[in-house]
Amino acid sequence: MPVNPAPRAYQIVLQAIEEDLRTEKLSVGDQLPGERALAEQHGISRASVRDAIRILDVMGIIKTSTGSGPNSGAVIVSNPSAGISQALRLHLAAKGINVREIVESRILLETWAAQMNPRDPIHAQQVIDRTAVLIMRMDDAQLSREAFHRIDAEFHVLLASMAGNAVVESMMESLRNSISDYVAASIPDDESWQPIVRVLRRQHKAIHHAFATNQRERAAQLLEEHINWFYSQTR
Amino acid sequence: MPVNPAPRAYQIVLQAIEEDLRTEKLSVGDQLPGERALAEQHGISRASVRDAIRILDVMGIIKTSTGSGPNSGAVIVSNPSAGISQALRLHLAAKGINVREIVESRILLETWAAQMNPRDPIHAQQVIDRTAVLIMRMDDAQLSREAFHRIDAEFHVLLASMAGNAVVESMMESLRNSISDYVAASIPDDESWQPIVRVLRRQHKAIHHAFATNQRERAAQLLEEHINWFYSQTR
């Protein structure tokens, strides 16, 4: 049975859209041309165009909506972490990537970002302020574990954003998202979670203090210890 | 016009396959169940199953083949760099991420990989041997610029693979691929290219020598200088 009767016709559309994005014929917020227009333009079937649109959707390049109003159809969004996370998650599951590699990569990106001189001091100050709020929210004893993990991820991604490198930030966000389920599943119950969360809170505060007082090397070192310690608890 | 008439039915299949991979009901080398079986199992249309299969294909989770023999159909492969490259390329194009961020990220990943102790000494020796062959091929005066860039990219990705971290390798490959067209376009003619390529050949040989003699810090330093120098020539 041929699983893929028209192999890779959709690749033509993916390549053309990549080119249009690169040359800014298409930008974030623009509507993608309709299925029929794309099919005619590239001389391929509408079914192949639909494949390309689904792939762009999964990769976080577009957001599709149903309906027939003026705002229906596919809009360019570029949400890198959604798409890259999905690929990373699947490869992690398939054992093409293991948790060690993800932890190693997180440490690499986060400690690098901590040691960089912030590109934009105003943004850096905003990060300090916003992460202080996140620390307060993570102190709430009523907070669910799921909510804690979400705020925790936001805390790390925000700190990594200080360096002002969108590539590093996207990679960091994807890595963080790709393992959250494994992490959640690896701590079996609330009783095991309580002593862990106390240490995490203390570590977060020390990391925040190092950033706020501009002790960059110290912040990098605390981040590395924090990431390694946490994964040692989840295995 | 509804672009996505059955939104995200394919997500059911993606999630189920991720779960089967995680619990090792499916492993690399296994055949994916047929379209009909997956459709019945999840109560969705065969068209939605086909969407999921195409997405898995683009993400490098499966390899599909046409035909009707016993080996036709989709086989689990887990080739992370293929899938992540595609997502990163599109987002780099969409976000208009600047060359500085890409150069910075390349230096981060490549110098890190250079300084790591190779996880697998046999693979490390293979990389030394294969990159020696690539250096010889890049010495060919008849080589087109396009072919040079392709071999050059392979050289850098191979060296980065020594560290044995598939996440870093995939990101490196994506970054390298994502900018090759910009690089090619930024050197206007063969006359400007000739003096550049002579320096690149010399730098590649010095980098290779540092790896081959296990001077890891030196290799990292030479890589950083090489990457920075090349981009200074292309702007």
Side-chain angles (χ1 to χ4, degrees):
Chain A
M1 179 194 63
V3 172
N4 198 345
R8 296 174 182 73
Y10 58 83
Q11 287 284 10
I12 296 166
V13 181
L14 293 183
Q15 278 162 20
I17 288 170
E18 185 184 333
E19 185 58 27
D20 286 351
L21 288 166
R22 191 180 296 165
T23 56
E24 297 183 348
K25 266 180 232 152
L26 277 176
S27 301
V28 168
D30 288 353
Q31 193 99 8
L32 201 68
E35 259 176 47
R36 189 194 316 233
L38 286 170
E40 280 171 12
Q41 192 185 333
H42 299 294
I44 60 172
S45 71
R46 286 182 67 162
S48 294
V49 169
R50 230 168 281 139
D51 291 340
I53 288 173
R54 292 230 165 71
I55 289 163
L56 290 168
D57 190 10
V58 170
M59 288 191 167
I61 301 289
I62 58 169
K63 205 171 154 57
T64 58
S65 60
T66 55
S68 54
N71 296 320
S72 70
V75 175
I76 309 286
V77 291
S78 191
N79 175 10
S81 83
I84 301 164
S85 291
Q86 174 87 68
L88 275 177
R89 282 175 63 98
L90 282 160
H91 287 294
L92 190 62
K95 316 282 186 287
I97 292 174
N98 59 42
V99 172
R100 174 191 64 76
E101 290 169 321
I102 291 188
V103 171
E104 210 172 65
S105 308
R106 270 193 65 187
I107 291 173
L108 169 64
L109 299 175
E110 295 193 52
T111 60
W112 175 83
Q115 288 171 84
M116 289 295 284
N117 222 8
R119 190 157 301 275
D120 173 358
I122 295 168
H123 173 69
Q125 189 54 53
Q126 284 168 341
V127 169
I128 297 296
D129 297 347
R130 283 163 66 192
T131 45
V133 174
L134 297 180
I135 283 177
M136 280 172 55
R137 286 171 57 199
M138 284 187 279
D139 262 347
D140 179 357
Q142 306 303 312
L143 198 67
S144 72
R145 252 172 69 190
E146 200 192 3
F148 186 95
H149 287 310
R150 208 168 45 238
I151 302 171
D152 188 347
E154 203 186 329
F155 176 82
H156 283 271
V157 173
L158 266 172
L159 290 177
S161 78
M162 264 201 205
N165 185 316
V167 179
V168 169
E169 198 182 334
S170 306
M171 288 178 179
M172 169 58 208
E173 205 168 341
S174 318
L175 290 173
R176 196 65 187 72
N177 290 335
S178 65
I179 48 173
S180 57
D181 292 350
Y182 292 83
V183 167
S186 67
I187 300 166
D189 52 44
D190 216 50
E191 218 169 323
S192 343
W193 172 241
Q194 284 311 321
I196 293 175
V197 74
R198 276 195 291 276
V199 177
L200 293 180
R201 286 188 184 118
R202 202 166 58 229
Q203 290 173 335
H204 284 158
K205 282 168 194 162
I207 291 164
H208 186 268
H209 178 74
F211 271 100
T213 54
N214 213 30
Q215 297 177 71
R216 299 272 159 188
E217 285 290 341
R218 173 106 182 110
Q221 188 199 326
L222 291 172
L223 272 167
E224 179 162 357
E225 285 166 14
H226 166 62
I227 297 168
N228 275 326
W229 179 83
F230 183 52
Y231 285 103
S232 73
Q233 300 300 304
T234 60
R235 268 168 299 178
Chain B
M1 179 192 66
V3 171
N4 198 345
R8 295 176 183 72
Y10 58 83
Q11 287 283 12
I12 296 166
V13 181
L14 293 184
Q15 277 162 20
I17 288 171
E18 183 184 334
E19 187 57 28
D20 285 350
L21 287 166
R22 193 181 296 168
T23 55
E24 296 183 350
K25 266 180 233 153
L26 276 176
S27 302
V28 169
D30 288 353
Q31 193 98 6
L32 202 68
E35 261 177 46
R36 191 194 315 234
L38 287 170
E40 278 170 13
Q41 191 186 334
H42 300 294
I44 61 172
S45 70
R46 286 183 66 164
S48 293
V49 170
R50 229 168 281 139
D51 291 340
I53 288 173
R54 291 229 167 70
I55 288 163
L56 291 169
D57 190 9
V58 169
M59 287 189 168
I61 301 289
I62 59 168
K63 205 171 156 53
T64 59
S65 60
T66 55
S68 54
N71 296 319
S72 71
V75 174
I76 310 286
V77 290
S78 192
N79 173 12
S81 79
I84 301 165
S85 288
Q86 174 87 67
L88 255 187
R89 278 178 67 98
L90 282 160
H91 287 295
L92 289 170
K95 268 206 150 178
I97 284 171
N98 59 45
V99 174
R100 175 191 64 75
E101 288 169 324
I102 294 174
V103 170
E104 212 171 64
S105 307
R106 270 195 64 187
I107 291 173
L108 168 64
L109 299 176
E110 295 193 52
T111 59
W112 175 82
Q115 287 170 84
M116 289 295 282
N117 222 9
R119 189 157 303 274
D120 173 0
I122 294 168
H123 173 69
Q125 188 55 52
Q126 284 167 342
V127 169
I128 297 296
D129 297 346
R130 283 163 66 192
T131 45
V133 174
L134 297 180
I135 282 178
M136 280 171 55
R137 285 171 59 198
M138 284 189 278
D139 262 346
D140 180 358
Q142 305 305 312
L143 198 69
S144 71
R145 253 173 68 191
E146 201 192 0
F148 186 95
H149 286 312
R150 210 170 42 240
I151 302 171
D152 188 348
E154 204 187 326
F155 175 83
H156 283 272
V157 173
L158 267 171
L159 290 176
S161 78
M162 265 201 207
N165 185 314
V167 179
V168 168
E169 195 183 336
S170 307
M171 287 178 177
M172 170 57 208
E173 201 169 344
S174 321
L175 290 173
R176 196 62 186 74
N177 290 335
S178 67
I179 48 173
S180 58
D181 294 348
Y182 295 85
V183 167
S186 67
I187 300 166
D189 52 45
D190 216 51
E191 220 170 324
S192 342
W193 173 242
Q194 284 311 322
I196 293 175
V197 75
R198 277 195 291 275
V199 177
L200 293 181
R201 286 188 183 119
R202 202 166 57 230
Q203 290 173 336
H204 284 158
K205 283 168 195 165
I207 291 164
H208 186 268
H209 179 74
F211 272 100
T213 54
N214 213 28
Q215 297 178 71
R216 300 267 157 196
E217 285 289 341
R218 173 104 182 112
Q221 189 198 326
L222 290 172
L223 272 167
E224 179 162 358
E225 284 167 13
H226 165 63
I227 297 167
N228 276 326
W229 179 83
F230 183 54
Y231 285 102
S232 74
Q233 299 300 305
T234 60
R235 266 170 297 177

